[in-house]
Structures are given as structure tokens and as C-alpha cells.
């Protein structure tokens, strides 16, 4: 067990072997840490599971943290939450089992309120995150049915090399949680709705994508997360480069450090 600097530990908290708490963490009253995933009376582990509580995070009163979990930098765990899996940096989780309900220090808005052009017209607009832009696609409404369309290199600001569709994410799941070193993305919710959080290392913004004629462009070196999907959500994502695992930054601290260089 290790304990960092400037850590607040309230009453009724036991810190066991295998729990590593970094600097500036807050642990609320009666928060419970565990270090054995399959406890039995008088049966002792040869090696305890390690739980990492990253710098600046907060754990609410009576929360339970299962063993072997990492709680990311500046994350917030709600009172009474039961944390059964890793929590991303800056995420806010609540409930049993704990689910992501938001992100700290985000500027939240419906994407359509940010776009200043009237509905039905084309347009793009900057967001608080550097280089990230929201785009209104062409929308054709007809008695036979509605249609939205975008041309590559025009409304979609690059020629894609691949696409993927995210679906089946109901139940509090979160996707993304990475940055790409040299690849740009353009995404829109072809069905249903989801929330996109973008982060440039300094500024963070949150958008609800709930119409197929609204898209968001992410330049390289943008940390992003998608969550709070509706049951019918289908997020369509275009990328301007083929898949390359070396292009991904999957640790938020590594991303922040890379943005500073």
C-alpha cells in the first residue's frame, strides 16, 4: 500500500495491501477498498490485486472499490457507488454498478445550439476544444422521407480511408477514451443519440449528437470519449487513415504530456 502527498482520508476507511493512492486524492467517509476478488475464510492470496487511485481523483462516502481497478486522474466516484471496472480520467460515475454520467470541467451543450446557421443550411463552427468543429450537413425533407448527405472533401473535410459504426452500447457503456497521433475523425449519429466529450489537454467540451445531419470533426491529438448512448444509437465514424495501433494514445496522462511537447 502506498499513500501520496496531500491525500485526504476521512473516518471509517481501511487501506489494505495492494491499494496505491497517488497525490491530491480525496477519500470520503466509510469508502471501502478490497484486494481479494474471491475471498474465503482462512484462505490467503499469494499475491494481492493492485488497485490504483490516480492523482486528483475523489471517492465519495460509502463507495466500494473492487480489487484490481484503476480510477483515472481527476475522476469522481459518487457516494455509494460500486465500482466494478476501470474509471477513465475525468469521468464522473454513480450507481451500482457504477456508470459514467458525465465528465468534470466540461462545457456541455446540444450541438444544434452551438451552430449559428438556421436549420437546413450548411455550416461549421469552432468549439472550446482546439481544432474541433461542429458541422451541419445538408438535410432534404420530403413527404417520401428525409435525407441527409455530405460530400467528402466538402462538408466532411477529408477523404476517408476507413469507417466504423458503434452500436449495441446501451446500459451505460463508454467507448473511445483515446487520442490519435496523426489521424482525423469525423462522426455523426446515424440513428439515436449519444454524447461526445472532446479534450485538447486544456479545454474540454461535451456535445449531444442526436440528429443525423449534425457531425463533429476531431483533428489529430484530440482526446475523445462517447457515452450515454440511446438504446438505438448508431455512431458512424470516418477516419482519414487506415487503422494503426501505434497511432493510439490510450493513457490520458500520456496524452497530456504529448500535447505539451
Amino acid at each position: 500500500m502506498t499513500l501520496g502527498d496531500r491525500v485526504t482520508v476521512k473516518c471509517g476507511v481501511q487501506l489494505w495491501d495492494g491499494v496505491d493512492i497517488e497525490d491530491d486524492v480525496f477519500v470520503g467517509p466509510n469508502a471501502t477498498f478490497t484486494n481479494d476478488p474471491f475471498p474465503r475464510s482462512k484462505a490467503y492470496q499469494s499475491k494481492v490485486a493492485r488497485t490504483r487511485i490516480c492523482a486528483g481523483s475523489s471517492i465519495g462516502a460509502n463507495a466500494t472499490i473492487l480489487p484490481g481497478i484503476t480510477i483515472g486522474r481527476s475522476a469522481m466516484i459518487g457516494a455509494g457507488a460500486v465500482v466494478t471496472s476501470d474509471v477513465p480520467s475525468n469521468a464522473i460515475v454513480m450507481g451500482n454498478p457504477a456508470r459514467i454520467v458525465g465528465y468534470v470541467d466540461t462545457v456541455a451543450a446540444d450541438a444544434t445550439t452551438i451552430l449559428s446557421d438556421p436549420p437546413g443550411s450548411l455550416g461549421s463552427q469552432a468549439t472550446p476544444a482546439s481544432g474541433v468543429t461542429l458541422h451541419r450537413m445538408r438535410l432534404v425533407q420530403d413527404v417520401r422521407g428525409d435525407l441527409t448527405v455530405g460530400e467528402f472533401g466538402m462538408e466532411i473535410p477529408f477523404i476517408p480511408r476507413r469507417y466504423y459504426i458503434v452500436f449495441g452500447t446501451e446500459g451505460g457503456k463508454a467507448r473511445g477514451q483515446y487520442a490519435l497521433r496523426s489521424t482525423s475523425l469525423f462522426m455523426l449519429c446515424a440513428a439515436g443519440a449519444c454524447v461526445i466529450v472532446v479534450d485538447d489537454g486544456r479545454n474540454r467540451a461535451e456535445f449531444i449528437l442526436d440528429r443525423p445531419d449534425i457531425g463533429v470533426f476531431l483533428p489529430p491529438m484530440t482526446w475523445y470519449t462517447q457515452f450515454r448512448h440511446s438504446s438505438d444509437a448508431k455512431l458512424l465514424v470516418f477516419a482519414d487513415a487506415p487503422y494503426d495501433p501505434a497511432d493510439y494514445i490510450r493513457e490520458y496522462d500520456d496524452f497530456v504530456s504529448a500535447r505539451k511537447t
Side-chain angles (χ1 to χ4, degrees):
M1 193 276 291
T2 61
L3 195 65
D5 296 331
R6 300 174 301 279
V7 174
T8 298
V9 180
K10 292 294 188 178
C11 58
V13 177
Q14 291 84 40
L15 299 176
W16 309 108
D17 289 344
V19 177
D20 299 315
I21 299 179
E22 297 181 359
D23 298 345
D24 302 302
V25 168
F26 174 89
V27 183
N30 300 304
T32 299
F33 295 95
T34 58
N35 65 2
D36 187 345
F38 302 104
R40 295 287 188 183
S41 178
K42 302 300 180 180
Y44 305 107
Q45 303 177 92
S46 59
K47 183 179 180 180
V48 297
R50 302 213 70 84
T51 299
R52 180 186 178 198
I53 314 300
C54 293
S57 56
S58 295
I59 299 174
N62 297 301
T64 300
I65 313 299
L66 267 61
I69 284 172
T70 295
I71 295 177
R73 176 179 290 270
S74 299
M76 298 195 71
I77 311 303
V82 178
V83 182
T84 60
S85 59
D86 290 351
V87 177
S89 295
N90 304 302
I92 303 168
V93 302
M94 299 177 65
N96 179 10
R99 301 295 189 192
I100 298 173
V101 298
Y103 280 77
V104 299
D105 299 328
T106 60
V107 179
D110 186 326
T112 56
T113 66
I114 295 178
L115 289 162
S116 57
D117 297 325
S121 62
L122 304 180
S124 65
Q125 191 161 323
T127 71
S130 177
V132 177
T133 51
L134 287 167
H135 297 249
R136 178 173 281 119
M137 318 299 284
R138 282 179 283 180
L139 175 64
V140 180
Q141 296 181 303
D142 192 289
V143 293
R144 299 168 297 176
D146 298 341
L147 180 150
T148 182
V149 60
E151 295 189 13
F152 299 121
M154 296 180 65
E155 293 90 355
I156 299 171
F158 56 76
I159 307 298
R161 299 287 304 279
R162 65 183 167 106
Y163 80 91
Y164 56 90
I165 299 173
V166 179
F167 59 96
T169 48
E170 65 275 10
K173 298 176 183 176
R175 295 292 306 242
Q177 304 173 39
Y178 60 77
L180 296 169
R181 299 179 189 275
S182 58
T183 301
S184 296
L185 301 177
F186 188 90
M187 56 188 67
L188 53 84
C189 222
C194 70
V195 174
I196 303 293
V197 176
V198 293
D199 186 331
D200 64 9
R202 288 180 139 185
N203 302 303
R204 192 174 302 121
E206 178 180 305
F207 312 110
I208 302 170
L209 296 182
D210 57 359
R211 290 172 43 174
D213 62 325
I214 299 294
V216 59
F217 168 73
L218 278 60
M221 292 303 295
T222 301
W223 186 271
Y224 103 96
T225 302
Q226 45 174 290
F227 74 110
R228 208 182 299 161
H229 303 79
S230 63
S231 60
D232 59 342
K234 291 179 175 61
L235 185 70
L236 174 61
V237 183
F238 296 104
D240 68 353
Y243 173 75
D244 178 4
D247 197 34
Y248 285 70
I249 303 175
R250 298 191 181 275
E251 295 294 333
Y252 185 75
D253 287 351
D254 294 341
F255 162 71
V256 173
S257 296
R259 288 285 302 196
K260 291 178 180 178
T261 59

